[in-house]
Amino acid sequence: MNELSLKILIDDRIAPVHRITFFRMKGNGTDAQNRLLKGPASQMEHFHALVANAIRQDSRSFARQASAPVLDNRSNTDRIAKLWELKQAGALTADEFESEKRAVLSEAATKGRLDAIKSRHGE
């Protein structure tokens, strides 16, 4: 093993990929079980958890904002496609993707029921 690094993909057309290196060794590298890797691997896992939690928290709060024009103006298909892109980029786990997708579909169903009630009452 020559390097331990974390690759972060962001929604930026100019520089979408960022790499944070926690360990780099020239030459043939080292065995993956080498104790030299324990500290950097632990730091990388901790940093990954912090970034993943920050992204998760931000995406959930963003999805809940009823007045967010960017999200509200998108179709449910577009919203789910964006979630899929985040999953493919590694920003969401499979479980997080499914949870957020269910939230989008549930929100759409609730909105549809409210619209039907309003139309029945002439609003």
Side-chain angles (χ1 to χ4, degrees), residues 88-122:
Q88 293 299 101
L92 293 176
T93 66
D95 289 340
E96 291 167 338
F97 168 76
E98 289 300 325
S99 174
E100 294 297 326
K101 182 176 81 172
R102 278 192 301 275
V104 168
L105 295 174
S106 174
E107 180 183 313
T110 301
K111 184 180 180 322
R113 286 191 296 271
L114 289 174
D115 289 346
I117 291 169
K118 286 180 182 178
S119 70
R120 282 195 304 251
H121 293 286

Side-chain angles (χ1 to χ4, degrees), residues 53-98:
N53 286 333
I55 291 169
R56 192 175 303 119
Q57 183 177 14
D58 187 56
S59 68
R60 286 181 183 149
S61 67
F62 184 73
R64 282 188 221 124
Q65 293 176 0
S67 62
V70 173
L71 200 52
D72 286 346
N73 289 335
R74 297 167 114 183
S75 72
N76 291 330
T77 304
D78 290 340
R79 292 169 67 187
I80 292 172
K82 182 62 179 173
L83 290 170
W84 177 253
E85 288 174 19
L86 290 170
K87 180 187 175 293
Q88 293 299 101
L92 293 176
T93 66
D95 289 340
E96 291 167 338
F97 168 76
E98 289 300 325

